[in-house]
Amino acid sequence: MALAMAESVPLLSTFFCLFMAVTAADWNIINRRTNNGLKISLKNYCESWRLNVELHNVRYFKLVPEECVGYIGNYVSSTQYKVDSERTIEECIVYLTKGCSLKGDGTDAWIFDIDDTLISTVPYYKKTQYGGKKLNITDLEAWMSEAKAPVLGHTLRFFNLLKAKGVDIILISARREALRSATIENLVQKGYHGWSDLFFRSDEEKDVEKYKSDVRRRLVKGGYCIWGILGDQYSSLEGTPSGRRTFKLPNPMYYVA
Protein backbone atom coordinates (compact mmCIF):
# COMPACT_ATOMS: atom_id res chain seq x y z
CA MET A 1 0.00 0.00 0.00
CA ALA A 2 2.80 2.38 1.01
CA LEU A 3 4.68 1.49 -2.19
CA ALA A 4 1.59 2.13 -4.28
CA MET A 5 1.09 5.50 -2.64
CA ALA A 6 4.75 6.36 -3.11
CA GLU A 7 4.50 5.52 -6.80
CA SER A 8 1.35 7.64 -7.12
CA VAL A 9 3.00 10.76 -5.69
CA PRO A 10 5.02 11.58 -8.82
CA LEU A 11 1.94 10.94 -10.95
CA LEU A 12 -0.20 13.23 -8.81
CA SER A 13 2.56 15.84 -8.82
CA THR A 14 2.82 15.67 -12.59
CA PHE A 15 -0.96 15.97 -12.98
CA PHE A 16 -1.05 18.93 -10.60
CA CYS A 17 1.71 20.74 -12.53
CA LEU A 18 -0.06 20.15 -15.81
CA PHE A 19 -3.34 21.33 -14.33
CA MET A 20 -1.73 24.51 -13.00
CA ALA A 21 -0.02 25.14 -16.34
CA VAL A 22 -3.33 24.93 -18.15
CA THR A 23 -5.30 27.04 -15.70
CA ALA A 24 -2.53 29.65 -15.42
CA ALA A 25 -1.98 29.79 -19.15
CA ASP A 26 -3.74 32.34 -21.27
CA TRP A 27 -7.40 31.39 -21.47
CA ASN A 28 -7.72 32.12 -25.15
CA ILE A 29 -4.69 30.07 -26.16
CA ILE A 30 -5.76 26.97 -24.24
CA ASN A 31 -9.51 27.10 -24.71
CA ARG A 32 -9.91 29.39 -27.72
CA ARG A 33 -12.78 30.98 -25.83
CA THR A 34 -13.38 34.20 -23.94
CA ASN A 35 -14.59 34.18 -20.35
CA ASN A 36 -18.12 34.51 -21.74
CA GLY A 37 -17.72 31.42 -23.89
CA LEU A 38 -17.19 33.18 -27.24
CA LYS A 39 -15.11 30.98 -29.51
CA ILE A 40 -12.13 32.88 -30.91
CA SER A 41 -8.94 32.43 -32.90
CA LEU A 42 -5.42 33.50 -32.02
CA LYS A 43 -5.82 36.33 -34.54
CA ASN A 44 -8.97 37.48 -32.71
CA TYR A 45 -7.07 37.57 -29.43
CA CYS A 46 -4.07 39.46 -30.82
CA GLU A 47 -6.22 41.94 -32.71
CA SER A 48 -8.21 42.58 -29.53
CA TRP A 49 -4.99 43.07 -27.56
CA ARG A 50 -3.65 45.54 -30.16
CA LEU A 51 -6.92 47.47 -30.27
CA ASN A 52 -7.02 47.76 -26.49
CA VAL A 53 -3.47 49.11 -26.49
CA GLU A 54 -4.64 51.86 -28.85
CA LEU A 55 -7.72 52.50 -26.70
CA HIS A 56 -5.41 52.82 -23.68
CA ASN A 57 -7.11 49.97 -21.87
CA VAL A 58 -3.87 47.95 -21.93
CA ARG A 59 -1.21 50.06 -20.21
CA TYR A 60 2.33 49.79 -18.87
CA PHE A 61 3.09 46.60 -20.76
CA LYS A 62 6.77 45.67 -20.96
CA LEU A 63 6.50 43.06 -23.71
CA VAL A 64 4.16 42.19 -26.53
CA PRO A 65 2.52 38.84 -25.63
CA GLU A 66 4.72 36.06 -26.99
CA GLU A 67 1.87 34.49 -28.93
CA CYS A 68 1.18 37.85 -30.65
CA VAL A 69 4.70 38.73 -31.79
CA GLY A 70 4.09 37.46 -35.31
CA TYR A 71 0.76 39.24 -35.54
CA ILE A 72 2.19 42.58 -34.38
CA GLY A 73 5.12 42.22 -36.77
CA ASN A 74 2.73 41.58 -39.64
CA TYR A 75 0.58 44.54 -38.63
CA VAL A 76 3.35 47.17 -38.48
CA SER A 77 4.66 45.89 -41.83
CA SER A 78 1.23 45.92 -43.44
CA THR A 79 -0.86 48.17 -45.65
CA GLN A 80 -3.38 48.35 -42.80
CA TYR A 81 -0.80 50.02 -40.54
CA LYS A 82 -0.12 52.60 -43.26
CA VAL A 83 -3.85 53.14 -43.82
CA ASP A 84 -4.46 53.56 -40.07
CA SER A 85 -1.59 56.05 -39.81
CA GLU A 86 -2.64 58.00 -42.88
CA ARG A 87 -6.22 58.21 -41.58
CA THR A 88 -4.88 59.83 -38.41
CA ILE A 89 -3.07 62.42 -40.53
CA GLU A 90 -6.18 63.01 -42.64
CA GLU A 91 -8.12 63.80 -39.46
CA CYS A 92 -5.36 66.22 -38.42
CA ILE A 93 -5.68 67.98 -41.76
CA VAL A 94 -9.48 68.20 -41.51
CA TYR A 95 -9.15 69.73 -38.06
CA LEU A 96 -6.41 72.14 -39.14
CA THR A 97 -8.31 73.39 -42.16
CA LYS A 98 -11.81 73.47 -40.68
CA GLY A 99 -11.48 73.61 -36.92
CA CYS A 100 -8.55 75.95 -36.24
CA SER A 101 -8.99 79.72 -36.26
CA LEU A 102 -5.30 80.42 -36.63
CA LYS A 103 -4.27 83.81 -35.28
CA GLY A 104 -1.35 84.31 -37.63
CA ASP A 105 0.54 86.35 -35.03
CA GLY A 106 3.34 83.89 -34.27
CA THR A 107 1.53 82.21 -31.38
CA ASP A 108 -0.03 79.32 -33.33
CA ALA A 109 1.75 76.06 -32.48
CA TRP A 110 1.55 72.34 -33.18
CA ILE A 111 3.53 69.74 -31.22
CA PHE A 112 5.01 66.53 -32.58
CA ASP A 113 6.67 63.56 -30.95
CA ILE A 114 9.57 62.13 -33.00
CA ASP A 115 9.89 58.34 -32.81
CA ASP A 116 7.14 56.54 -34.73
CA THR A 117 5.57 59.93 -35.38
CA LEU A 118 8.06 61.67 -37.71
CA ILE A 119 10.46 58.78 -38.23
CA SER A 120 10.05 55.04 -37.73
CA THR A 121 11.70 52.67 -35.26
CA VAL A 122 10.07 49.62 -36.86
CA PRO A 123 13.42 48.52 -38.43
CA TYR A 124 14.97 48.39 -34.96
CA TYR A 125 12.03 46.59 -33.36
CA LYS A 126 12.05 44.07 -36.19
CA LYS A 127 15.36 42.85 -34.72
CA THR A 128 13.80 42.54 -31.27
CA GLN A 129 10.64 40.63 -32.24
CA TYR A 130 8.50 43.76 -32.53
CA GLY A 131 8.41 44.33 -28.79
CA GLY A 132 8.50 40.65 -27.88
CA LYS A 133 12.01 40.85 -26.39
CA LYS A 134 12.99 42.95 -23.39
CA LEU A 135 14.14 46.39 -24.49
CA ASN A 136 17.86 47.09 -24.27
CA ILE A 137 17.93 50.88 -24.09
CA THR A 138 21.67 51.03 -24.77
CA ASP A 139 21.21 49.03 -27.95
CA LEU A 140 18.23 51.17 -29.00
CA GLU A 141 20.14 54.41 -28.46
CA ALA A 142 23.10 53.04 -30.41
CA TRP A 143 20.71 52.39 -33.31
CA MET A 144 19.25 55.90 -32.96
CA SER A 145 22.74 57.40 -33.03
CA GLU A 146 23.23 55.95 -36.51
CA ALA A 147 20.58 58.43 -37.76
CA LYS A 148 19.07 55.93 -40.18
CA ALA A 149 15.42 55.80 -39.06
CA PRO A 150 13.16 55.96 -42.15
CA VAL A 151 10.70 58.78 -42.69
CA LEU A 152 6.97 58.47 -42.12
CA GLY A 153 5.90 60.19 -45.31
CA HIS A 154 2.31 60.90 -44.30
CA THR A 155 3.53 62.89 -41.29
CA LEU A 156 6.10 64.78 -43.36
CA ARG A 157 3.34 66.00 -45.68
CA PHE A 158 1.34 67.29 -42.72
CA PHE A 159 4.49 68.85 -41.22
CA ASN A 160 5.02 70.81 -44.45
CA LEU A 161 1.35 71.86 -44.55
CA LEU A 162 1.67 73.35 -41.07
CA LYS A 163 4.76 75.28 -42.14
CA ALA A 164 2.94 76.61 -45.20
CA LYS A 165 0.16 77.91 -42.94
CA GLY A 166 2.63 79.68 -40.68
CA VAL A 167 2.16 77.41 -37.68
CA ASP A 168 5.17 77.10 -35.37
CA ILE A 169 6.22 73.45 -35.09
CA ILE A 170 7.53 72.26 -31.73
CA LEU A 171 9.20 68.85 -31.39
CA ILE A 172 9.17 67.27 -27.92
CA SER A 173 11.03 63.98 -27.86
CA ALA A 174 11.42 61.33 -25.17
CA ARG A 175 14.96 60.83 -26.45
CA ARG A 176 17.78 61.91 -24.18
CA GLU A 177 19.75 65.10 -24.81
CA ALA A 178 22.80 63.04 -25.79
CA LEU A 179 20.97 62.07 -29.00
CA ARG A 180 20.30 65.65 -30.15
CA SER A 181 22.89 65.81 -32.93
CA ALA A 182 22.08 62.38 -34.36
CA THR A 183 18.35 63.10 -34.20
CA ILE A 184 18.66 66.43 -36.02
CA GLU A 185 20.84 64.77 -38.66
CA ASN A 186 18.26 62.01 -39.13
CA LEU A 187 15.35 64.46 -39.37
CA VAL A 188 17.06 66.76 -41.86
CA GLN A 189 18.15 63.82 -44.02
CA LYS A 190 14.51 62.71 -44.23
CA GLY A 191 13.19 66.14 -45.20
CA TYR A 192 12.23 67.72 -41.88
CA HIS A 193 13.43 71.28 -41.37
CA GLY A 194 12.05 74.60 -40.25
CA TRP A 195 10.75 73.61 -36.81
CA SER A 196 10.69 76.35 -34.18
CA ASP A 197 12.02 74.42 -31.20
CA LEU A 198 13.22 70.93 -30.31
CA PHE A 199 13.23 69.50 -26.78
CA PHE A 200 15.04 66.46 -25.39
CA ARG A 201 14.94 64.88 -21.94
CA SER A 202 17.70 65.38 -19.44
CA ASP A 203 18.99 62.32 -17.57
CA GLU A 204 17.11 63.51 -14.49
CA GLU A 205 13.72 63.57 -16.24
CA LYS A 206 12.47 60.00 -15.85
CA ASP A 207 8.69 60.55 -16.10
CA VAL A 208 8.01 61.20 -19.78
CA GLU A 209 4.45 62.43 -19.36
CA LYS A 210 5.50 64.94 -16.69
CA TYR A 211 8.50 66.11 -18.73
CA LYS A 212 6.34 66.75 -21.81
CA SER A 213 3.63 68.46 -19.76
CA ASP A 214 6.24 70.72 -18.19
CA VAL A 215 7.54 71.71 -21.63
CA ARG A 216 4.01 72.51 -22.81
CA ARG A 217 3.40 74.57 -19.69
CA ARG A 218 6.43 76.71 -20.51
CA LEU A 219 5.24 77.10 -24.09
CA VAL A 220 1.78 78.22 -23.02
CA LYS A 221 3.22 80.65 -20.47
CA GLY A 222 5.33 82.02 -23.31
CA GLY A 223 2.18 82.87 -25.23
CA TYR A 224 1.72 79.89 -27.53
CA CYS A 225 -1.70 78.49 -28.44
CA ILE A 226 -1.20 74.75 -28.91
CA TRP A 227 -3.73 73.83 -31.54
CA GLY A 228 -2.78 70.17 -31.71
CA ILE A 229 -0.45 67.40 -30.63
CA LEU A 230 0.48 64.36 -32.70
CA GLY A 231 2.23 61.36 -31.17
CA ASP A 232 2.23 57.59 -30.95
CA GLN A 233 2.24 57.40 -27.12
CA TYR A 234 -0.35 58.59 -24.62
CA SER A 235 2.48 60.11 -22.57
CA SER A 236 2.86 62.60 -25.43
CA LEU A 237 -0.82 63.55 -25.29
CA GLU A 238 -1.89 63.45 -21.66
CA GLY A 239 -1.16 65.77 -18.76
CA THR A 240 -1.84 69.49 -18.53
CA PRO A 241 -1.79 71.74 -20.34
CA SER A 242 -2.64 69.76 -23.45
CA GLY A 243 -3.48 70.81 -26.98
CA ARG A 244 -6.87 71.93 -28.23
CA ARG A 245 -6.92 68.52 -29.96
CA THR A 246 -4.70 65.46 -29.67
CA PHE A 247 -4.16 62.77 -32.30
CA LYS A 248 -2.59 59.36 -31.72
CA LEU A 249 -0.78 57.30 -34.33
CA PRO A 250 -0.91 53.50 -33.94
CA ASN A 251 1.95 51.79 -32.12
CA PRO A 252 1.44 48.40 -30.44
CA MET A 253 5.18 47.62 -30.08
CA TYR A 254 6.00 49.43 -26.84
CA TYR A 255 4.60 51.67 -24.11
CA VAL A 256 6.29 54.84 -22.82
CA ALA A 257 5.05 56.19 -19.48
Short mmCIF file of all heavy atoms in Angstrom, two decimals, residues 26 45-46 49-50 53 58-70 72-73 124-125 127-137 251-256:
data_model
loop_
_atom_site.label_atom_id
_atom_site.label_comp_id
_atom_site.label_asym_id
_atom_site.label_seq_id
_atom_site.Cartn_x
_atom_site.Cartn_y
_atom_site.Cartn_z
N ASP A 26 -2.76 31.40 -20.73
CA ASP A 26 -3.74 32.34 -21.27
C ASP A 26 -4.99 31.58 -21.70
O ASP A 26 -4.93 30.62 -22.45
CB ASP A 26 -3.13 33.07 -22.47
CG ASP A 26 -3.89 34.33 -22.80
OD1 ASP A 26 -5.06 34.22 -23.21
OD2 ASP A 26 -3.32 35.39 -22.63
N TYR A 45 -7.66 37.16 -30.71
CA TYR A 45 -7.07 37.57 -29.43
C TYR A 45 -6.04 38.68 -29.64
O TYR A 45 -6.05 39.70 -28.94
CB TYR A 45 -6.41 36.37 -28.75
CG TYR A 45 -5.53 36.78 -27.59
CD1 TYR A 45 -6.09 37.24 -26.40
CD2 TYR A 45 -4.14 36.71 -27.70
CE1 TYR A 45 -5.28 37.62 -25.35
CE2 TYR A 45 -3.34 37.10 -26.65
CZ TYR A 45 -3.90 37.56 -25.47
OH TYR A 45 -3.11 37.95 -24.43
N CYS A 46 -5.16 38.49 -30.61
CA CYS A 46 -4.07 39.46 -30.82
C CYS A 46 -4.60 40.78 -31.36
O CYS A 46 -4.11 41.85 -30.99
CB CYS A 46 -3.02 38.86 -31.76
SG CYS A 46 -2.14 37.45 -31.05
N TRP A 49 -6.06 42.51 -28.40
CA TRP A 49 -4.99 43.07 -27.56
C TRP A 49 -4.45 44.36 -28.17
O TRP A 49 -4.31 45.38 -27.49
CB TRP A 49 -3.86 42.05 -27.41
CG TRP A 49 -2.77 42.54 -26.48
CD1 TRP A 49 -2.74 42.42 -25.13
CD2 TRP A 49 -1.57 43.23 -26.86
NE1 TRP A 49 -1.60 43.02 -24.63
CE2 TRP A 49 -0.87 43.51 -25.67
CE3 TRP A 49 -1.03 43.64 -28.08
CZ2 TRP A 49 0.35 44.19 -25.67
CZ3 TRP A 49 0.18 44.32 -28.08
CH2 TRP A 49 0.86 44.58 -26.90
N ARG A 50 -4.18 44.35 -29.48
CA ARG A 50 -3.65 45.54 -30.16
C ARG A 50 -4.64 46.70 -30.06
O ARG A 50 -4.25 47.84 -29.76
CB ARG A 50 -3.34 45.23 -31.62
CG ARG A 50 -2.70 46.40 -32.37
CD ARG A 50 -2.63 46.15 -33.86
NE ARG A 50 -3.94 46.14 -34.48
CZ ARG A 50 -4.61 47.26 -34.79
NH1 ARG A 50 -4.12 48.45 -34.51
NH2 ARG A 50 -5.79 47.17 -35.37
N VAL A 53 -4.64 48.25 -26.69
CA VAL A 53 -3.47 49.11 -26.49
C VAL A 53 -3.78 50.50 -27.02
O VAL A 53 -3.54 51.51 -26.36
CB VAL A 53 -2.23 48.53 -27.20
CG1 VAL A 53 -1.10 49.56 -27.26
CG2 VAL A 53 -1.74 47.27 -26.48
N VAL A 58 -5.10 48.68 -22.29
CA VAL A 58 -3.87 47.95 -21.93
C VAL A 58 -2.78 49.00 -21.73
O VAL A 58 -2.46 49.74 -22.65
CB VAL A 58 -3.47 46.95 -23.03
CG1 VAL A 58 -2.14 46.30 -22.69
CG2 VAL A 58 -4.55 45.90 -23.22
N ARG A 59 -2.21 49.05 -20.53
CA ARG A 59 -1.21 50.06 -20.21
C ARG A 59 0.01 49.43 -19.55
O ARG A 59 -0.05 48.33 -19.01
CB ARG A 59 -1.77 51.12 -19.26
CG ARG A 59 -3.03 51.80 -19.75
CD ARG A 59 -3.45 52.91 -18.81
NE ARG A 59 -4.70 53.54 -19.24
CZ ARG A 59 -5.19 54.65 -18.72
NH1 ARG A 59 -4.54 55.26 -17.74
NH2 ARG A 59 -6.33 55.16 -19.16
N TYR A 60 1.11 50.14 -19.61
CA TYR A 60 2.33 49.79 -18.87
C TYR A 60 2.89 48.42 -19.22
O TYR A 60 3.61 47.81 -18.43
CB TYR A 60 2.11 49.88 -17.36
CG TYR A 60 1.51 51.20 -16.92
CD1 TYR A 60 0.19 51.27 -16.45
CD2 TYR A 60 2.25 52.37 -17.00
CE1 TYR A 60 -0.36 52.48 -16.08
CE2 TYR A 60 1.70 53.59 -16.62
CZ TYR A 60 0.40 53.64 -16.16
OH TYR A 60 -0.15 54.84 -15.79
N PHE A 61 2.56 47.91 -20.40
CA PHE A 61 3.09 46.60 -20.76
C PHE A 61 4.57 46.71 -21.10
O PHE A 61 5.02 47.70 -21.68
CB PHE A 61 2.30 45.98 -21.91
CG PHE A 61 2.38 46.71 -23.23
CD1 PHE A 61 3.36 46.38 -24.17
CD2 PHE A 61 1.47 47.71 -23.54
CE1 PHE A 61 3.43 47.05 -25.38
CE2 PHE A 61 1.54 48.38 -24.75
CZ PHE A 61 2.52 48.06 -25.68
N LYS A 62 5.32 45.71 -20.71
CA LYS A 62 6.77 45.67 -20.96
C LYS A 62 7.09 44.90 -22.23
O LYS A 62 8.10 45.18 -22.89
CB LYS A 62 7.50 45.03 -19.78
CG LYS A 62 7.30 45.76 -18.46
CD LYS A 62 7.88 47.16 -18.49
CE LYS A 62 7.75 47.83 -17.12
NZ LYS A 62 8.26 49.23 -17.14
N LEU A 63 6.25 43.91 -22.54
CA LEU A 63 6.50 43.06 -23.71
C LEU A 63 5.19 42.82 -24.45
O LEU A 63 4.12 42.74 -23.83
CB LEU A 63 7.09 41.71 -23.29
CG LEU A 63 8.46 41.70 -22.62
CD1 LEU A 63 8.76 40.30 -22.10
CD2 LEU A 63 9.55 42.16 -23.57
N VAL A 64 5.28 42.69 -25.74
CA VAL A 64 4.16 42.19 -26.53
C VAL A 64 3.96 40.72 -26.15
O VAL A 64 4.93 39.98 -25.99
CB VAL A 64 4.46 42.32 -28.03
CG1 VAL A 64 3.44 41.57 -28.88
CG2 VAL A 64 4.50 43.79 -28.43
N PRO A 65 2.72 40.26 -25.96
CA PRO A 65 2.52 38.84 -25.63
C PRO A 65 3.23 37.94 -26.64
O PRO A 65 3.17 38.18 -27.85
CB PRO A 65 0.99 38.68 -25.72
CG PRO A 65 0.45 40.04 -25.43
CD PRO A 65 1.44 41.00 -26.04
N GLU A 66 3.90 36.93 -26.13
CA GLU A 66 4.72 36.06 -26.99
C GLU A 66 3.91 35.50 -28.16
O GLU A 66 4.40 35.43 -29.28
CB GLU A 66 5.28 34.92 -26.14
CG GLU A 66 6.18 33.97 -26.91
CD GLU A 66 6.75 32.87 -26.03
OE1 GLU A 66 6.46 32.87 -24.81
OE2 GLU A 66 7.46 32.01 -26.56
N GLU A 67 2.67 35.10 -27.88
CA GLU A 67 1.87 34.49 -28.93
C GLU A 67 1.44 35.49 -30.00
O GLU A 67 0.95 35.10 -31.07
CB GLU A 67 0.64 33.80 -28.33
CG GLU A 67 -0.28 34.71 -27.55
CD GLU A 67 0.09 34.82 -26.08
OE1 GLU A 67 1.25 34.55 -25.72
OE2 GLU A 67 -0.80 35.18 -25.29
N CYS A 68 1.62 36.81 -29.72
CA CYS A 68 1.18 37.85 -30.65
C CYS A 68 2.33 38.53 -31.39
O CYS A 68 2.09 39.46 -32.17
CB CYS A 68 0.36 38.91 -29.92
SG CYS A 68 -1.20 38.27 -29.26
N VAL A 69 3.55 38.09 -31.16
CA VAL A 69 4.70 38.73 -31.79
C VAL A 69 4.58 38.71 -33.31
O VAL A 69 4.79 39.73 -33.99
CB VAL A 69 6.01 38.04 -31.34
CG1 VAL A 69 7.17 38.43 -32.25
CG2 VAL A 69 6.33 38.41 -29.90
N GLY A 70 4.23 37.57 -33.86
CA GLY A 70 4.09 37.46 -35.31
C GLY A 70 2.99 38.35 -35.84
O GLY A 70 3.15 39.01 -36.88
N ILE A 72 1.80 41.18 -34.47
CA ILE A 72 2.19 42.58 -34.38
C ILE A 72 3.21 42.92 -35.46
O ILE A 72 3.15 43.98 -36.09
CB ILE A 72 2.75 42.90 -32.98
CG1 ILE A 72 1.66 42.72 -31.91
CG2 ILE A 72 3.33 44.31 -32.93
CD1 ILE A 72 0.44 43.58 -32.10
N GLY A 73 4.15 42.00 -35.70
CA GLY A 73 5.12 42.22 -36.77
C GLY A 73 4.45 42.36 -38.12
O GLY A 73 4.81 43.24 -38.93
N TYR A 124 14.29 48.85 -36.17
CA TYR A 124 14.97 48.39 -34.96
C TYR A 124 14.16 47.32 -34.27
O TYR A 124 14.69 46.27 -33.88
CB TYR A 124 15.21 49.55 -33.99
CG TYR A 124 15.75 49.06 -32.66
CD1 TYR A 124 17.09 48.73 -32.52
CD2 TYR A 124 14.91 48.85 -31.56
CE1 TYR A 124 17.58 48.22 -31.33
CE2 TYR A 124 15.39 48.36 -30.37
CZ TYR A 124 16.72 48.04 -30.25
OH TYR A 124 17.20 47.52 -29.07
N TYR A 125 12.86 47.55 -34.09
CA TYR A 125 12.03 46.59 -33.36
C TYR A 125 11.85 45.28 -34.13
O TYR A 125 11.52 44.26 -33.52
CB TYR A 125 10.69 47.22 -32.99
CG TYR A 125 10.81 48.07 -31.74
CD1 TYR A 125 11.09 49.43 -31.83
CD2 TYR A 125 10.70 47.50 -30.48
CE1 TYR A 125 11.24 50.20 -30.69
CE2 TYR A 125 10.85 48.26 -29.34
CZ TYR A 125 11.12 49.61 -29.45
OH TYR A 125 11.28 50.36 -28.31
N LYS A 127 14.25 43.67 -35.25
CA LYS A 127 15.36 42.85 -34.72
C LYS A 127 15.08 42.34 -33.31
O LYS A 127 15.76 41.43 -32.84
CB LYS A 127 16.66 43.65 -34.72
CG LYS A 127 17.10 44.16 -36.08
CD LYS A 127 18.48 44.79 -36.02
CE LYS A 127 18.52 45.96 -35.07
NZ LYS A 127 19.87 46.59 -35.02
N THR A 128 14.10 42.93 -32.66
CA THR A 128 13.80 42.54 -31.27
C THR A 128 12.38 41.99 -31.16
O THR A 128 11.70 42.21 -30.14
CB THR A 128 13.98 43.74 -30.32
OG1 THR A 128 13.10 44.81 -30.73
CG2 THR A 128 15.41 44.25 -30.37
N GLN A 129 11.94 41.31 -32.22
CA GLN A 129 10.64 40.63 -32.24
C GLN A 129 9.48 41.60 -32.01
O GLN A 129 8.49 41.26 -31.37
CB GLN A 129 10.61 39.51 -31.19
CG GLN A 129 11.62 38.40 -31.47
CD GLN A 129 11.55 37.27 -30.45
OE1 GLN A 129 10.70 37.26 -29.56
NE2 GLN A 129 12.44 36.31 -30.58
N TYR A 130 9.60 42.78 -32.55
CA TYR A 130 8.50 43.76 -32.53
C TYR A 130 7.94 43.99 -31.13
O TYR A 130 6.74 44.08 -30.93
CB TYR A 130 7.39 43.32 -33.48
CG TYR A 130 7.86 43.21 -34.91
CD1 TYR A 130 8.15 41.97 -35.48
CD2 TYR A 130 8.02 44.34 -35.70
CE1 TYR A 130 8.59 41.86 -36.80
CE2 TYR A 130 8.46 44.25 -37.02
CZ TYR A 130 8.74 43.01 -37.56
OH TYR A 130 9.18 42.92 -38.85
N GLY A 131 8.84 44.10 -30.17
CA GLY A 131 8.41 44.33 -28.79
C GLY A 131 8.28 43.06 -27.98
O GLY A 131 7.90 43.11 -26.81
N GLY A 132 8.60 41.92 -28.58
CA GLY A 132 8.50 40.65 -27.88
C GLY A 132 9.70 40.32 -27.01
O GLY A 132 9.63 39.43 -26.17
N LYS A 133 10.81 41.04 -27.21
CA LYS A 133 12.01 40.85 -26.39
C LYS A 133 12.19 42.08 -25.50
O LYS A 133 11.85 43.20 -25.88
CB LYS A 133 13.24 40.68 -27.28
CG LYS A 133 13.28 39.36 -28.03
CD LYS A 133 14.52 39.27 -28.92
CE LYS A 133 15.81 39.29 -28.12
NZ LYS A 133 17.00 39.12 -28.98
N LYS A 134 12.75 41.86 -24.34
CA LYS A 134 12.99 42.95 -23.39
C LYS A 134 13.84 44.02 -24.03
O LYS A 134 14.87 43.74 -24.65
CB LYS A 134 13.66 42.42 -22.12
CG LYS A 134 13.85 43.48 -21.05
CD LYS A 134 14.48 42.88 -19.80
CE LYS A 134 14.68 43.95 -18.73
NZ LYS A 134 15.31 43.38 -17.51
N LEU A 135 13.44 45.27 -23.87
CA LEU A 135 14.14 46.39 -24.49
C LEU A 135 15.51 46.59 -23.85
O LEU A 135 15.64 46.66 -22.63
CB LEU A 135 13.32 47.67 -24.35
CG LEU A 135 13.96 48.94 -24.90
CD1 LEU A 135 14.15 48.85 -26.42
CD2 LEU A 135 13.12 50.17 -24.54
N ASN A 136 16.51 46.71 -24.69
CA ASN A 136 17.86 47.09 -24.27
C ASN A 136 18.06 48.54 -24.69
O ASN A 136 18.30 48.83 -25.86
CB ASN A 136 18.90 46.18 -24.93
CG ASN A 136 20.32 46.48 -24.49
OD1 ASN A 136 20.68 47.64 -24.27
ND2 ASN A 136 21.14 45.44 -24.40
N ILE A 137 17.91 49.47 -23.75
CA ILE A 137 17.93 50.88 -24.09
C ILE A 137 19.27 51.32 -24.67
O ILE A 137 19.32 52.19 -25.56
CB ILE A 137 17.57 51.74 -22.85
CG1 ILE A 137 17.34 53.21 -23.26
CG2 ILE A 137 18.61 51.61 -21.77
CD1 ILE A 137 16.19 53.44 -24.19
N ASN A 251 0.66 52.39 -32.49
CA ASN A 251 1.95 51.79 -32.12
C ASN A 251 1.71 50.74 -31.05
O ASN A 251 1.61 51.07 -29.87
CB ASN A 251 2.94 52.83 -31.62
CG ASN A 251 4.30 52.21 -31.33
OD1 ASN A 251 4.48 50.99 -31.41
ND2 ASN A 251 5.27 53.02 -30.98
N PRO A 252 1.64 49.46 -31.43
CA PRO A 252 1.44 48.40 -30.44
C PRO A 252 2.74 47.73 -29.99
O PRO A 252 2.71 46.71 -29.31
CB PRO A 252 0.58 47.40 -31.22
CG PRO A 252 1.11 47.52 -32.63
CD PRO A 252 1.52 48.96 -32.81
N MET A 253 3.91 48.30 -30.34
CA MET A 253 5.18 47.62 -30.08
C MET A 253 5.74 47.91 -28.70
O MET A 253 6.46 47.08 -28.14
CB MET A 253 6.22 48.02 -31.13
CG MET A 253 5.88 47.62 -32.55
SD MET A 253 7.21 48.07 -33.72
CE MET A 253 7.20 49.86 -33.60
N TYR A 254 5.45 49.07 -28.15
CA TYR A 254 6.00 49.43 -26.84
C TYR A 254 5.15 50.49 -26.19
O TYR A 254 4.31 51.12 -26.84
CB TYR A 254 7.46 49.91 -26.97
CG TYR A 254 7.65 51.09 -27.90
CD1 TYR A 254 7.49 52.40 -27.45
CD2 TYR A 254 8.02 50.91 -29.23
CE1 TYR A 254 7.67 53.49 -28.30
CE2 TYR A 254 8.21 51.98 -30.09
CZ TYR A 254 8.04 53.27 -29.60
OH TYR A 254 8.20 54.34 -30.45
N TYR A 255 5.38 50.70 -24.89
CA TYR A 255 4.60 51.67 -24.11
C TYR A 255 5.58 52.55 -23.34
O TYR A 255 6.46 52.07 -22.63
CB TYR A 255 3.69 50.94 -23.13
CG TYR A 255 2.73 51.86 -22.37
CD1 TYR A 255 1.44 52.08 -22.87
CD2 TYR A 255 3.11 52.50 -21.20
CE1 TYR A 255 0.55 52.90 -22.20
CE2 TYR A 255 2.23 53.33 -20.52
CZ TYR A 255 0.96 53.54 -21.02
OH TYR A 255 0.08 54.36 -20.38
N VAL A 256 5.44 53.87 -23.51
CA VAL A 256 6.29 54.84 -22.82
C VAL A 256 5.46 55.59 -21.82
O VAL A 256 4.47 56.24 -22.18
CB VAL A 256 6.94 55.82 -23.82
CG1 VAL A 256 7.76 56.87 -23.06
CG2 VAL A 256 7.82 55.08 -24.83
#
